[in-house]
Amino acid sequence: DLYGTGLVELHKYKEALGPLDEAIKVAGKTRGAAYPTIAITAKIEALSGLGENKEALALADEDLRRVSDYHLAGHLYELYQTRAGVYERMGQWDQAVSDYGQAVQYAKQLSYWRGLTQVDGLLATAYLHQGALQPALTAINDAIAANQQIPDELYFVPRDLAIKAEIMARLGDRKSAITLYEKSADMLDALLSRVPTPTVERLLLADLSKVYSGYFEFLCDQGRTSDAFHVIERARGRVEA
C-alpha cells in the first residue's frame, strides 16, 4: 500500500499499479481489514497519470457507489479530491471545481485542517482556470486560514501564497502580488534548507519551479525584465544548492 503510493508520488505510475492492486486484493480478502482508501485513490491517480482517464473515472465512480451509503467522510474527501485531479488533467474544469468543492465540505466535517489547506488551494487554482477570480480569492483565503490552525505544517503555505499572488495580479493589485510572491519564495527557501527526506525535497522543488515561473511571468508582464531574470537566477541557485 505505502510502497505503491510512494511510487505514485514519484510519478512512477506503471510500476505502482502492481503493488496497489495487490494491496486492494489483500484488503478485500482479509477479515476486519480497514477499507483500502489510500490504495484505491492512488490507483485512480496512477491510471490518470498514464493517460487512462476513462479507467480512472470508472474506478472512482465504482468506489463512490460502494462507500456513499457508509458516510465515510475521510474516504469521500480523498476520493473527490482525487477524481477532481483526473478532471483537471482532462481540462474539465467545471467538474473539477464541483469535486474539489465536495472535498472541501467533507474536510470541514472532519475539521481536517491539512486537507482544507490542500484542497482549497487546488479549488482556487481550478477557479483561476475558469477566470472566476473572486471565488478563487475566497478559496485561497480559506486555505491560508486553515493552515493557521496547524502552524507547524508549512508545506502548502508557499504554494498557497503564490496562488494568491497570481489572483491579486489578475485583479490588478500589483503591490500585493509582489509582496506575496516574495513571501512565497522566501518560505520555499527556508523549507528547502531543512527538508527531512529526498522525496519532500523533490516535491518542494516542483513547487519552487511553479512559484518562480509565476513570479517571472508577472514581472515580465510589468516590463521589469531585469528583475524577472534575477528571479530565475535565484531559483537556479536554489536548485543547484
Side-chain angles (χ1 to χ4, degrees):
D1 193 344
L2 293 176
Y3 176 62
T5 303
L7 290 172
V8 171
E9 289 180 355
L10 295 173
H11 297 175
K12 295 183 177 181
Y13 301 120
K14 190 172 182 179
E15 297 93 325
L17 288 176
L20 292 172
D21 282 335
E22 183 62 23
I24 294 167
K25 182 180 178 181
V26 169
K29 289 183 174 181
T30 305
R31 181 178 297 177
Y35 195 82
T37 298
I38 295 173
I40 290 172
T41 54
K43 183 176 179 180
I44 293 167
E45 187 173 347
L47 288 169
S48 182
L50 291 168
E52 298 176 12
N53 291 311
K54 288 184 179 179
E55 292 82 353
L57 290 177
L59 177 57
D61 291 345
E62 176 189 347
D63 203 45
L64 271 174
R65 287 191 296 271
R66 183 179 297 122
V67 304
S68 58
D69 291 338
Y70 298 100
H71 307 292
L72 303 173
H75 181 74
L76 290 167
Y77 160 81
E78 295 286 355
L79 190 54
Y80 275 111
Q81 177 179 283
T82 303
R83 191 174 72 170
V86 179
Y87 284 130
E88 189 175 303
R89 292 184 191 95
M90 297 172 72
Q92 297 183 15
W93 294 105
D94 288 345
Q95 292 93 328
V97 163
S98 177
D99 273 8
Y100 281 137
Q102 289 285 345
V104 166
Q105 294 309 310
Y106 284 114
K108 285 180 178 177
Q109 283 183 28
L110 297 163
S111 296
Y112 181 27
W113 304 117
R114 188 177 189 276
L116 279 171
T117 299
Q118 181 178 14
V119 77
D120 265 318
L122 296 168
L123 177 59
T125 300
Y127 275 131
L128 269 175
H129 279 273
Q130 293 183 314
L133 299 183
Q134 287 300 331
L137 183 59
T138 298
I140 203 62
N141 282 338
D142 287 348
I144 293 168
N147 209 110
Q148 291 171 357
Q149 301 290 329
I150 45 171
D152 292 337
E153 294 192 30
L154 301 175
Y155 172 72
F156 291 111
V157 176
R159 180 207 66 174
D160 288 343
L161 291 174
I163 292 169
K164 185 170 183 179
E166 182 179 351
I167 295 168
M168 299 312 293
R170 289 169 66 169
L171 286 170
D173 188 345
R174 290 174 288 182
K175 184 176 179 180
S176 292
I178 289 174
T179 299
L180 289 162
Y181 273 127
E182 278 294 323
K183 284 183 179 178
S184 175
D186 287 345
M187 186 164 287
L188 263 177
D189 288 347
L191 289 174
L192 279 166
S193 69
R194 49 188 176 89
V195 290
T197 67
T199 298
V200 172
E201 183 178 30
R202 279 190 290 269
L203 294 171
L204 283 172
L205 285 172
D207 276 351
L208 181 144
S209 67
K210 296 172 188 173
V211 167
Y212 280 109
S213 64
Y215 197 5
F216 174 82
E217 290 174 11
F218 169 73
L219 291 170
C220 285
D221 289 343
Q222 303 303 310
R224 297 172 56 179
T225 308
S226 177
D227 290 337
F229 280 101
H230 176 72
V231 165
I232 293 300
E233 288 301 315
R234 179 179 173 185
R236 184 177 294 122
R238 286 306 312 165
V239 172
E240 291 173 353

